[in-house]
Amino acid sequence: MSHVPSLKEVDEDWGQMEFYEGMPPVKMPCALIDIQDGQFTDAGDLRQQGTLTVVVKLYILRLSNTSNKAPQNQKDNAKKGWVAYEDIVKALHGQDFIKNGFAAPIRTRMQRIKRRDGIYERDITFSIGFTDTSCVPQKPKVKPTISLAASVE
């Protein structure tokens, strides 16, 4: 959130913007984040190479006109959505903030989702590659043993 100060809320996307009645359950503008997909390939010895698809959904409440005849403040307000979008991309795309074993997120797609509730939604998709070694058996550490019989001879 420090890199996208215009956002009032950042949370995991568990469907809160699809399944609500009345007022939206979040403060806007907001970003909801979810790992939507993971693909894995075998790298041998129970290691896997993986690619995660992470979607950041940007929501902005937009109830005003943005046509050429609209008041300037309404047009300026509409531009804030693009500023938030650009700030999200700058904060995530190519940035190395995830633990070792993970590649930097790379933006792969941007999509506008049309809604009927006056909320502007823009989905930003990132791809994150990684190596998964969690299933590789750990070899027990062997403590050296000294035989007393061998040392006496």
Side-chain angles (χ1 to χ4, degrees):
M1 285 191 64
S2 63
H3 295 292
V4 189
S6 64
L7 293 178
K8 293 185 179 169
E9 191 168 340
V10 175
D11 198 357
E12 178 183 8
D13 181 7
W14 44 265
Q16 57 270 56
M17 290 302 293
E18 283 78 29
F19 309 110
Y20 74 91
E21 293 182 21
M23 294 298 295
V26 296
K27 295 176 184 173
M28 299 219 201
C30 77
L32 301 179
I33 305 167
D34 190 26
I35 297 173
Q36 296 228 329
D37 186 44
Q39 295 182 6
F40 303 89
T41 59
D42 183 23
D45 296 327
L46 299 178
R47 288 177 175 78
Q48 289 188 297
Q49 294 300 119
T51 303
L52 299 177
T53 301
V54 178
V55 176
V56 178
K57 294 181 178 182
L58 172 62
Y59 294 97
I60 299 166
L61 187 60
R62 185 184 286 172
L63 300 174
S64 60
N65 183 3
T66 58
S67 73
N68 286 339
K69 294 183 180 184
Q72 188 61 44
N73 65 339
Q74 289 181 4
K75 291 190 268 188
D76 292 343
N77 193 39
K79 292 176 187 175
K80 290 179 183 177
W82 282 107
V83 171
Y85 166 79
E86 290 172 352
D87 287 347
I88 289 169
V89 172
K90 288 176 190 174
L92 298 177
H93 177 76
Q95 301 304 311
D96 187 21
F97 59 88
I98 306 176
K99 69 178 187 169
N100 290 340
F102 286 84
I106 301 298
R107 177 181 51 177
T108 59
R109 182 176 184 173
M110 181 267 297
Q111 180 180 10
R112 167 78 161 94
I113 307 297
K114 293 190 178 186
R115 300 174 56 97
R116 295 180 178 185
D117 55 6
I119 296 172
Y120 182 86
E121 178 183 344
R122 185 154 309 271
D123 294 359
I124 313 160
T125 304
F126 294 87
S127 177
I128 303 172
F130 67 100
T131 301
D132 182 1
T133 60
S134 63
C135 294
V136 175
Q138 299 295 316
K139 294 181 181 177
K141 294 181 181 178
V142 179
K143 294 182 181 178
T145 58
I146 300 174
S147 170
L148 293 176
S151 62
V152 173
E153 294 177 18

